[in-house]
Every structure is written in structure tokens, then in C-alpha cells.
Amino acid sequence: MRGKIIAVFAVIVLMVGGLSYTLARASLGSISASGEAPRALAAAMAQLQVDGLVLERWLASHASGPRLREPFNAGTAPARAEAATSAANAIREAVAASPELAKTPPSLVVLVDRKGVVLGRNASALMRGDDLGAVYPSLKRAIEQGVTGSDVWVSRARNEQLLASYAPVRDDAGQIVGAVAVGTALNDERLSNASERTSGRILVVAVQSGDGLDVVAKSRDASPQLVSALTASPAKDGALHALGSGRMVDIGGLPAEYRAVGQALDGYGDGRRAVLLSIAELKAPGTAGALLWPVLGVTALGLVLVVVAAYFLDAYVSRPISEIEDGLLAIMNGRTDLRFGIEHAELGGLVFRLNSLLNQLLGVQEDETDADGRPSRAPASASFRDALEVDERMAALSADEIPADAKALLEEPEDAYYARIFREYIAAKRSLGNPVDHITRDAFVARLKASEQELGQKHGKPMRYKIEVRGKEIVLLAVPLA
């Protein structure tokens, strides 16, 4: 039995220990990641918006310079193109030298006319004549409205992956003649830099490509497996929902140790051009590993306590059972005078009944006196042991429902009532062929009074009985007197 107790409780301790470790590790992960991803997303979003706004303000302050007006005043198209390229090179050098823009060096500087057609770009004759206003409508709208703006320029066909800011260029009369646009690289280095300057969490920028999601930039901690998970459902669906709704959306479908949120990159174009994702990784593996040893220690202590408790429990239960088994074997082998003297809180009642059973089987008169030699129960009632079956169906009746013969029972004197009931009971027993020599009137009346008193307390009203014979049984029908 001891081995069974140890095995059962050892399994329980191991299950509780393992479950506690699992839940603690999950809780640590939840605490670590629950608020990190949204905070990191908000910080990175603000950083990228500030970068675009600073560049817009810088361009607005320099767009009115005479150097930028020259390309628009040139007489021929080649002259305008060469002048635009020269002006774009100057703008690029000025942006690179500006302290507030040093962290976001320009990759592209381009001058466009009022329709958004490229006059020239820095360091190259490429793009001359390209209709950027048709490719990026927000640029054309900004020129028409005469305001600064920023947009996400991502085009696989044009090999462009930029965050662009632009400002209108005006002539001496204040009329808008075109715009200057500066594009900064939207690449892994840019996002890694934004992550380091804000939260240090993983950042990803993606755009919609048909029904899919195209990841265009990611910070350095984003693994290929994580990127693959982002471009597959349900992570892809969550990112597209964030892009379409403009709200922050939880991104599912990532490995268990990651939690991600996404939101459309606000402040660029119409605010639906790209989605920015922030991914928080569970940073508690060291804590969870350190937690493992205390859990193992507590589990080991639990197992030791199980062994000790099983030993004492086995001794407490198995020892008296073993004594009873040995005693019964001795009685079977002829020691009919053997009785059990075991004192036990749980098994004491069983021992008493075993001794009583042995006395009845072996015809030995039981000692019914207490430790002081006093009788433990009245001899009159103790001599009558027949079972009395009581029918309580009428006991719950109200005063109006009490049958008429109840009044006769109520008015019958007590001595006459008990004498009559005793006679009817003896007559019923004899009619059934049952022995009645062992039934004395005093014992029967004592039992009947005790039964009436118990039933009256149960139903809250006085009771008396009627004798009824039902088949081979004698039943006491309880009749309420009130």
C-alpha cells in the first residue's frame, strides 16, 4: 500500500510542478510582451513621422532659393535638365551636411515641373521625363495645393524603395513652377536605425502586392522564418487589415515566443501606403531558465514529503488492518476468545462491530457497561430488536387533511393507546407466523415512544401510529395529531 500511495502522490506532485513551471513561463512571456509591441510600434511610427516632417521643413526653407529656380527658367529642355541635375546635386550635399538630417542621408534628389514630370535628378541623367505625378499621385496633389508632403515610394518595376519628402518651388512672383523631392532609403539599415533609436524591438515595413504582403524592409533581428510567417496567413491577413483600417491590429500566426502589432504608416501619402509592424520577442528565457531550478527543487521537496507522509499514512492505516487480519486468522484457527482492542479514530467503529459480530456468532454475551460499570443502554428497549417499518406518507398532511380517525387517536388515553397498539402488533405478528415470545410490552412501548418522538421532531407535530399488515410485512402508519 505504501508504494501505491507514493506512486499516486508522486505523479500528482510532478504534474503540479510541471504545470506551475509552464504557467509561470507563459505568464512571464505575457508580462514581457503584452505592452512592448504596441509601445515599440508607437515609438517607431513617431520616429519615422518626425524624420519626414523634419525633411519637409528643411526643403520648405530651401525651396525658395534662387539656385532651385534656375532650372525652371532655362530656355531649352536640355538646359533645364542639366540645371536640374546640378541643383539636385547641391541639394543632396546640403542635406547630407545638415546636422538635423545627418541620420537619414538622401538616396535621391529630383526636381519636377508643375505636372510632376522629372526635369532632372542628382548624379545621373536617368529619370528625365518620367511622369512621377502619375506614379505617385500625392506628389502631384501637393504641387497643385502648394504644400509640403511625404510619401512611401515603393515600386519593384522602377527599383524604388524610398521614404520621400517634397516641397513646392515658386518663382519670383510666388507662382508654383514645380517641386523638389528628396528620397531616403527605406531598407533594413533604416529600420535597424529606427529600432535602435526607439525601443530596440523588431520592425518591419511591408506594402500590399495584389492579395499578398510584400516585405520591403526589416530590422536586423527579423529572421527569415519570421518574415515568412508574416507573409502567410493569418499574419498576412492581419497586416492587410491594419493597412486598410488605419487602426492598430494584433498580428497572429507568429511563433509562440513572438507577439506583433501592425498599423498603417501614418504621415506618408494617404496613410495607407505601407504598414509598419512591431514584433516583441519573449525576453524572459533567462528568467524562465532560472525559474526552472526552484521549481525542480520544490518538486523534489514535494516528492520527499510524499514519501515521508506515505510512510506515516501507511503505518496509521495498514498496521491496524494488519492486526485485524491477523486476529481474524487466529480466530479461524481456534482462538474464539480473541477480541480486538484496537483504538483508532477511523477504524474504531469497525473494530467494535467486528467484536459484536463475533460475540453474536459465538454466542458470547456482550459487555454493555461503560468504563465505570454502568449499563450503556436501557435493558427494556435493548431486549426488543425487531425492525419497525414506518410509513410517513401522512405525516406531512395539514390540519384540514388529517383523517377523521386521527381524532380518535388523539382522544385515546395514553395507556390505553399503547396497550392497544401492542396487542394489535402481537396479533399481526402471530397472523404472519412470526415468533413473539421475545417481545415484551415495556420494550415495545419504549421503542414506539422513541420512534414517535423522533418522527414528531422531524415533522414538527405530534404523531401516533396505526398498525397495518401489508402482505408479509407489518407497517406502522404515522398519523399526525395536529
Side-chain angles (χ1 to χ4, degrees):
M1 182 176 179
R2 186 180 306 167
K4 294 179 181 178
I5 295 174
I6 293 175
V8 170
F9 285 99
V11 170
I12 294 175
V13 170
L14 291 174
M15 290 177 61
V16 171
L19 182 60
S20 62
Y21 174 74
T22 302
L23 293 177
R25 192 178 190 281
S27 298
L28 287 174
S30 177
I31 293 172
S32 174
S34 60
E36 288 297 324
R39 286 193 293 269
L41 178 63
M45 183 84 69
Q47 182 62 57
L48 294 176
Q49 290 172 345
V50 168
D51 290 346
L53 185 61
V54 170
L55 185 53
E56 286 180 36
R57 295 294 177 265
W58 190 93
L59 289 174
S61 65
H62 289 72
S64 59
R67 182 69 180 271
L68 280 179
R69 297 176 186 172
E70 292 178 1
F72 300 97
N73 297 326
T76 64
R80 286 194 297 271
E82 291 300 327
T85 297
S86 177
N89 288 333
I91 289 293
R92 187 187 187 285
E93 293 174 0
V95 170
S98 176
E100 65 267 28
L101 301 175
K103 294 183 182 297
T104 54
S107 300
L108 172 69
V109 179
V110 62
L111 270 71
V112 299
D113 62 14
R114 285 180 297 180
K115 296 181 179 180
V117 177
V118 176
L119 298 179
R121 60 158 291 174
N122 64 297
S124 175
L126 299 175
M127 295 180 65
R128 291 175 181 176
D130 287 0
D131 190 355
L132 283 183
V135 179
Y136 304 115
S138 61
L139 172 62
K140 189 173 182 179
R141 286 195 300 270
I143 296 173
E144 293 172 350
Q145 297 171 5
V147 296
T148 62
S150 296
D151 197 3
V152 179
W153 288 3
V154 174
S155 173
R156 297 297 186 187
R158 297 176 56 84
N159 196 27
E160 289 176 348
Q161 194 168 299
L162 304 167
L163 292 178
S165 296
Y166 33 80
V169 178
R170 302 176 185 271
D171 60 14
D172 294 337
Q175 298 297 316
I176 297 175
V177 294
V180 57
V182 175
T184 57
L186 180 57
N187 53 21
D188 295 355
E189 183 180 358
R190 176 71 176 275
L191 282 194
S192 297
N193 182 35
S195 174
E196 292 172 357
R197 293 164 65 186
T198 54
S199 64
R201 298 296 182 182
I202 300 173
L203 298 176
V204 175
V205 170
V207 297
Q208 185 172 1
S209 177
D211 295 332
L213 192 70
D214 183 12
V215 174
V216 298
K218 60 187 183 300
S219 59
R220 63 175 57 91
D221 294 330
S223 64
Q225 294 82 4
L226 191 58
V227 173
S228 298
L230 286 173
T231 56
S233 295
K236 175 198 72 173
D237 301 329
L240 293 178
H241 177 61
L243 184 60
S245 66
R247 299 191 301 269
M248 185 179 294
V249 176
D250 286 326
I251 307 299
L254 300 183
E257 63 270 21
Y258 293 97
R259 186 191 173 218
V261 293
Q263 188 174 359
L265 184 57
D266 197 13
Y268 288 84
D270 59 0
R272 302 291 189 273
R273 299 282 293 155
V275 60
L276 177 63
L277 305 171
S278 173
I279 305 171
E281 182 182 5
L282 171 60
K283 294 297 184 181
T287 305
L291 183 65
L292 176 62
W293 293 108
V295 171
L296 289 178
V298 171
T299 303
L301 177 61
L303 292 176
V304 172
L305 294 177
V306 164
V307 173
V308 174
Y311 177 82
F312 286 105
L313 184 60
D314 177 65
Y316 181 69
V317 176
S318 297
R319 187 172 300 169
I321 292 178
S322 178
E323 292 182 15
I324 293 173
E325 183 180 4
D326 294 340
L328 290 175
L329 182 61
I331 293 172
M332 292 170 60
N333 290 330
R335 290 192 55 189
T336 57
D337 60 335
L338 178 62
R339 297 295 181 270
F340 301 103
I342 301 172
E343 295 183 0
H344 197 277
E346 281 71 29
L347 300 178
L350 176 62
V351 171
F352 174 79
R353 284 162 179 78
L354 280 175
N355 289 334
S356 299
L357 178 61
L358 291 172
N359 289 334
Q360 289 185 12
L361 292 176
L362 299 175
V364 178
Q365 179 65 36
E366 292 189 53
D367 183 9
E368 297 179 346
T369 60
D370 59 15
D372 298 327
R374 295 172 297 185
S376 59
R377 47 187 176 173
S381 60
S383 62
F384 177 65
R385 301 178 179 276
D386 289 0
L388 295 178
E389 182 177 355
V390 178
D391 186 349
E392 301 181 29
R393 287 180 298 176
M394 296 177 58
L397 295 179
S398 63
D400 297 333
E401 298 172 330
I402 297 175
D405 56 358
K407 296 182 179 180
L409 288 175
L410 178 62
E411 296 171 357
E412 187 176 10
E414 183 174 307
D415 292 339
Y417 161 73
Y418 286 117
R420 179 180 58 77
I421 288 293
F422 175 71
R423 291 194 304 270
E424 292 177 359
Y425 183 81
I426 294 298
K429 293 282 284 185
R430 286 174 177 168
S431 67
L432 296 176
N434 295 331
V436 296
D437 294 340
H438 65 290
I439 304 176
T440 64
R441 182 179 182 279
D442 293 339
F444 176 80
V445 171
R447 284 282 300 279
L448 203 63
K449 288 182 177 180
S451 178
E452 290 173 348
Q453 183 179 4
E454 179 181 355
L455 196 62
Q457 291 175 352
K458 178 179 178 181
H459 294 280
K461 58 183 72 174
M463 296 286 177
R464 281 190 176 181
Y465 292 127
K466 291 177 62 178
I467 300 294
E468 289 187 358
V469 178
R470 299 177 183 173
K472 296 294 184 180
E473 295 181 350
I474 300 175
V475 178
L476 298 180
L477 179 61
V479 179
L481 303 182

